Structures are given as structure tokens and as C-alpha cells.
């Protein structure tokens, strides 16, 4: 079976999205003590650079970044597989995963499931789709300009 280049690109994005989901699951599976140690480690590295931020800021920023990337990868997967309404489907899947992640944390010692985290994660997912849409628009614009230049030569 020979896949077109964009289908191969979509498969790579899908594999990366699944890997990211596994990383999110792994991080959520850590007991509260381990999770706090990880946050403190990141915090100490940032403070070393002379920047002062709170642990809460680090945690919520991590949530947003994880879900920006997840929705971006899902968008690339669905777009390149020509899934209709991919721009709705991608944040929906990411949001469902955020819900399942928070439910999962209810069963981890010292952790809790937070509705606010689902809202933050979903916001990150929406931002990831908007970034993907913006990049698509830029790429299409560059290609149009290139085609216009090539056709006028």
C-alpha cells in the first residue's frame, strides 16, 4: 500500500498525538508528591534565569501547552486525512481527553479532578486549532504567490 505524502505526514502526526496522550497520562498518574517535585524542579530552573513565577502558573501553562500541541497534531492528522469539519473535531477530541484525564486523576493519591483544568485544557486545544488554521492560511498564501510568480514568468 502506497500512501501519498500528506497521508504519511498525517500518520506521523497521529503517532505523535498518541505519544503525547501517553505522556499526559503518565504525568497525571504521578502521585501528588511526585507531581509537586516535578513542578518545583521546573520552577527552580526558571528562577535560576532570574524570572519569578508561581507553581500554579507553571502547572496551568503546562496544561495549555500540552493541549495546544495535542490539538495541533490532531488537526494536522484530520486535515490531511480530509476529515470533514476537522477544526471542530480536533478540539472536541482533545477536550474529551482532558475530561478523561481529570477523571483519571480522581483515582491518584493526593490528586483531584478539576473542572477548571478541563476549561484550561479546552482553551489550549482551541488555541492549537487556531494556530493550525493560521499556519494553513499562511502556507496557502505563500503557495498562491509562488504560483502567480511562476505563471507570469
Amino acid at each position: 500500500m502506497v500512501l501519498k505524502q500528506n497521508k504519511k505526514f498525517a500518520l506521523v502526526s497521529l503517532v505523535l498525538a498518541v505519544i503525547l496522550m501517553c505522556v499526559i497520562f503518565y504525568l497525571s498518574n504521578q502521585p501528588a508528591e511526585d507531581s509537586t517535585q516535578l513542578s518545583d524542579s521546573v520552577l527552580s530552573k526558571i528562577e535560576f534565569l532570574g524570572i519569578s513565577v508561581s507553581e500554579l502558573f507553571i502547572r496551568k501553562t503546562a496544561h495549555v501547552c500540552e493541549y495546544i500541541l495535542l490539538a495541533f497534531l490532531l488537526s494536522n492528522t484530520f486535515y490531511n486525512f480530509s476529515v470533514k469539519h476537522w477544526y471542530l473535531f480536533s478540539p472536541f477530541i482533545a477536550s474529551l481527553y482532558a475530561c478523561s484525564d481529570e477523571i483519571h486523576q480522581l483515582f491518584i493519591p493526593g490528586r483531584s479532578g478539576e473542572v477548571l483544568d478541563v476549561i484550561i485544557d479546552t482553551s489550549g486545544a482551541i488555541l492549537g486549532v487556531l494556530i493550525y488554521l493560521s499556519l494553513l492560511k499562511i502556507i496557502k498564501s505563500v503557495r498562491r504567490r509562488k504560483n502567480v510568480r511562476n505563471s507570469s514568468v
Side-chain angles (χ1 to χ4, degrees):
M1 179 171 135
V2 178
L3 288 174
K4 290 185 178 179
Q5 190 64 29
N6 62 337
K7 303 294 187 218
K8 289 179 186 175
F9 193 48
L11 281 175
V12 169
S13 292
L14 180 59
V15 168
L16 291 174
V18 170
I19 289 170
L20 178 58
M21 292 167 106
C22 291
V23 168
I24 292 169
F25 182 88
Y26 171 78
L27 293 172
S28 294
N29 204 43
Q30 295 179 330
E33 264 184 44
D34 296 346
S35 180
T36 299
Q37 283 180 342
L38 179 61
S39 295
D40 289 344
S41 166
V42 172
L43 192 58
S44 68
K45 287 177 176 71
I46 292 172
E47 286 175 344
F48 175 76
L49 298 172
I51 302 168
S52 179
V53 294
S54 71
E55 180 187 352
L56 180 66
F57 179 79
I58 296 294
R59 287 179 175 275
K60 300 313 173 192
T61 300
H63 273 266
V64 170
C65 292
E66 289 168 343
Y67 283 86
I68 285 173
L69 183 56
L70 180 57
F72 187 92
L73 292 168
L74 290 172
S75 293
N76 192 57
T77 299
F78 298 141
Y79 177 81
N80 283 297
F81 276 125
S82 303
V83 173
K84 215 175 199 181
H85 305 299
W86 61 268
Y87 47 86
L88 299 174
F89 200 50
S90 298
F92 179 73
I93 295 294
S95 182
L96 281 179
Y97 191 73
C99 290
S100 72
D101 183 54
E102 292 304 315
I103 291 168
H104 166 236
Q105 287 183 48
L106 293 172
F107 302 97
I108 306 302
R111 302 290 295 263
S112 62
E114 302 292 331
V115 173
L116 179 60
D117 285 348
V118 173
I119 293 168
I120 290 169
D121 297 343
T122 300
S123 299
I126 292 167
L127 188 54
V129 172
L130 292 174
I131 291 168
Y132 190 83
L133 280 166
S134 298
L135 286 175
L136 274 180
K137 190 172 183 176
I138 291 167
I139 289 167
K140 287 178 181 180
S141 174
V142 167
R143 285 181 180 162
R144 268 196 307 271
R145 285 187 203 142
K146 192 174 181 181
N147 287 339
V148 167
R149 271 192 241 132
N150 288 341
S151 65
S152 64
V153 172

